[in-house]
Amino acid sequence: MPAIVVVGAQWGDEGKGKITDYLAAKAHAVVRYQGGSNAGHTVVVGDDRYKLHLVPSGVLYASIECLLGNGVVIDLPELVKELRELEKRGVNTSRLLLSESAHLILPYHKLIDGLEEEARGSASIGTTRRGIGPAYRDKVNRAGIRLCDLRHASVFRDRLDANRKEKAGMLAGHGLDWEQMAAQQLEAFAHVEKQVRDVGERIESLLDRGANVLFEGAQGTFLDIDHGTYPYVTSSTPTAGGACIGTGIGPCRMDAVLGVTKAYCTRVGMGPFTTEAMDDEGDRLVDRGAEFGTTTGRRRRPGWLDTVMLRYAVRVNSLSGLAVTKLDVLDHFERVRLCTAYEAGGQMHKSFPADPELLKCVKPVYEDVEGWNCDTSGARAFSDLPQKAKDFLKRLTELAGVPVLLVSVGASRDATLELGDPWELRRGR
Ligand code: IMP
């Protein structure tokens, strides 16, 4: 009856959607626990390509139950749009359950997100402008509106009105139609009302019955509000601990945590990036990896794999193992770089610093591995990989201190090489 958490070990976009989709073949339920429509997963099934934002990747399997936990912030009209599009493509979305305690993203959150980004000028965070920060801020400030509030139209309207008054100064002159907003939310709620319930209770009963439950993280470790590169972070807890807080299940029910990392690194938005490659090699990583955001279409910043970050991700998430994605993107490089430490002012740093001023000054210390210069995208087993690619993965494993269990060499489900079954992982770290 394992409960496995899948987390991003970098700044998001590690390919968690693909790995979740792969693991979902043996899962009974897939749960999202934080974030909102700032996330974007591309999942390829046969010739079909699905872009998911809020709906867990498991929805593409006919038998899997999908759940959105209380830690997710929900843009309800956007969710209904996503569900309708999936339905149109023949996906049954009635297996999606939503936590009644999840908070809503309302149109004013998106507006405020944009206004605040403009006001920050050159210090902008580069948010997705999906209203994430303002929605979580209202939650913490106890001004948020939850899905359960929509069951009672008058309660919902009162809470909306309190927000209208509280935010009047900030929103003046932006012509928000509050009546239309209320009607739109209530209409969207009617579409999902039967699917709204206590998700924590449902997960517990699934685990009690021996089900395999996958907790699907969005964003990544270094976008975590507490453990990421603050203030260039999102406003939720993508790290593994968030899977408990964001679903209503206690830590002792989790069996293992799988970290997903690209074989290199990317970041969207602003903030420090020690191994950023602003050169021809970086451009090649972007081209070969098609590194443009699923949600915003922005070009991702490219760089080399940073094992200082990886070791930090192992600690804060208690990672039991790794899935390494997009290995094939490195196929035609003369050398492949692994950052093993940071150096600043003649001092070596083996651990990831929280202080942004220090992070600004550190320089990466690289260990170069000879490139394999051949195509790995056709590999269907670990043994199909060239020796130099195996050597790269071996070194990565040594530096991270946890085993690599999955290696991905392409977007399709069968382009996933299994070195160990993550469902067999048991609590250890
Ligand atoms: P927000 O989550 O929209 O507030 O954005 C905060 C930061 O997180 C920005 O740098 C975004 O680019 C980044 N971010 C948010 N969601 C994702 C994601 O799914 N992948 C990668 N970066 C993300």
Side-chain angles (χ1 to χ4, degrees):
M1 44 127 252
I4 297 186
V5 189
V6 174
V7 297
Q10 299 171 321
W11 280 292
D13 306 320
E14 299 91 349
K16 294 177 298 293
K18 174 188 164 166
I19 297 300
T20 304
D21 175 71
Y22 178 80
L23 294 177
K26 289 189 190 166
H28 299 97
V30 180
V31 191
R32 258 198 68 184
Y33 58 86
Q34 49 69 233
S37 36
N38 50 348
H41 294 325
T42 305
V43 180
V44 179
V45 184
D47 292 334
D48 294 321
R49 184 172 283 267
Y50 297 86
K51 291 195 171 183
L52 303 172
H53 294 284
L54 257 176
V55 178
S57 310
V59 77
L60 301 175
Y61 287 90
S63 57
I64 288 184
E65 202 166 296
C66 292
L67 304 99
L68 294 185
N70 56 280
V72 176
V73 279
I74 300 180
D75 184 333
L76 210 44
E78 283 296 316
L79 173 66
V80 169
K81 200 166 122 203
E82 195 170 323
L83 294 177
R84 287 202 168 117
E85 275 163 20
L86 284 167
E87 290 281 350
K88 246 193 265 162
R89 295 178 70 181
V91 178
N92 171 9
T93 64
S94 64
R95 296 161 290 119
L96 176 71
L97 299 181
L98 317 176
S99 166
E100 57 193 349
S101 308
H103 281 246
L104 296 178
I105 295 184
L106 290 144
Y108 50 84
H109 292 129
K110 291 190 267 190
L111 182 57
I112 293 170
D113 198 354
L115 293 174
E116 289 182 339
E117 276 291 89
E118 300 298 330
R120 286 184 193 112
S122 62
S124 76
I125 293 168
T127 74
T128 58
R129 301 191 182 212
R130 296 297 193 273
I132 304 298
Y136 279 114
R137 181 164 69 213
D138 274 354
K139 170 176 172 172
V140 175
N141 198 28
R142 294 152 292 188
I145 303 181
R146 300 190 295 169
L147 270 182
C148 55
D149 297 326
L150 280 162
R151 286 195 185 119
H152 321 280
S154 63
V155 171
F156 167 65
R157 283 177 187 280
D158 285 350
R159 291 191 70 81
L160 196 61
D161 205 42
N163 274 281
R164 182 179 62 80
K165 290 181 185 141
E166 187 222 2
K167 296 170 176 58
M170 205 183 311
L171 298 174
H174 288 286
L176 279 179
D177 184 336
W178 293 80
E179 189 41 50
Q180 190 199 39
M181 189 192 307
Q184 193 191 26
Q185 296 297 319
L186 288 162
E187 190 193 316
F189 182 69
H191 191 88
V192 294
E193 185 167 6
K194 289 200 198 82
Q195 290 159 264
V196 175
R197 56 191 290 180
D198 182 335
V199 156
E201 195 174 67
R202 177 67 191 153
I203 300 170
E204 179 158 86
S205 83
L206 284 166
L207 289 172
D208 286 346
R209 284 197 272 132
N212 286 348
V213 181
L214 200 57
F215 294 79
E216 175 184 14
Q219 288 78 50
T221 299
F222 292 85
L223 289 174
D224 187 281
I225 185 76
D226 283 281
H227 302 293
T229 45
Y230 192 90
Y232 299 100
V233 292
T234 191
S235 299
S236 68
T237 305
T239 45
C244 295
I245 295 160
T247 60
I249 292 296
C252 293
R253 300 287 328 227
M254 303 300 179
D255 291 283
V257 185
L258 184 70
V260 185
T261 175
K262 274 181 192 159
Y264 52 100
C265 191
T266 61
R267 150 161 233 182
V268 268
M270 311 305 279
F273 185 172
T274 307
T275 62
E276 185 165 15
M278 286 186 286
D279 54 12
D280 172 56
E281 285 182 321
D283 289 343
R284 285 171 62 204
L285 288 171
V286 171
D287 287 348
R288 289 191 51 81
E291 293 296 352
F292 295 89
T294 310
T295 300
T296 60
R298 289 182 290 178
R299 180 186 191 270
R300 298 178 183 139
R301 297 159 58 192
W304 296 108
L305 186 69
D306 183 338
T307 64
V308 179
M309 288 173 62
L310 207 46
R311 284 192 293 276
Y312 179 86
V314 168
R315 171 169 67 79
V316 298
N317 296 296
S318 26
L319 296 186
S320 334
L322 289 170
V324 178
T325 60
K326 292 192 150 183
L327 181 73
D328 56 307
V329 172
L330 300 181
D331 279 354
H332 300 290
F333 285 79
E334 288 302 307
R335 58 151 194 216
V336 175
R337 315 200 86 177
L338 284 165
C339 170
T340 56
Y342 298 159
E343 187 273 329
Q347 242 195 310
M348 294 294 263
H349 298 266
K350 289 259 177 184
S351 342
F352 190 77
D355 179 353
E357 295 308 307
L358 175 56
L359 208 45
K360 258 192 233 164
C361 323
V362 296
K363 300 268 175 288
V365 176
Y366 286 118
E367 195 174 296
D368 287 343
V369 176
E370 225 182 299
W372 40 97
N373 255 310
C374 64
D375 187 4
T376 60
S377 64
R380 292 296 174 264
F382 183 70
S383 55
D384 295 339
L385 291 178
Q387 187 56 43
K388 284 178 184 161
K390 288 182 187 161
D391 291 345
F392 167 73
L393 292 167
K394 181 166 173 274
R395 187 65 187 130
L396 192 163
T397 302
E398 283 163 7
L399 290 164
V402 288
V404 171
L405 299 176
L406 300 176
V407 178
S408 168
V409 291
S412 63
R413 280 178 182 165
D414 64 350
T416 315
L417 323 179
E418 199 170 299
L419 286 81
D421 182 354
W423 286 109
E424 297 299 321
L425 287 170
R426 287 294 174 273
R427 216 172 296 148
R429 289 186 61 85

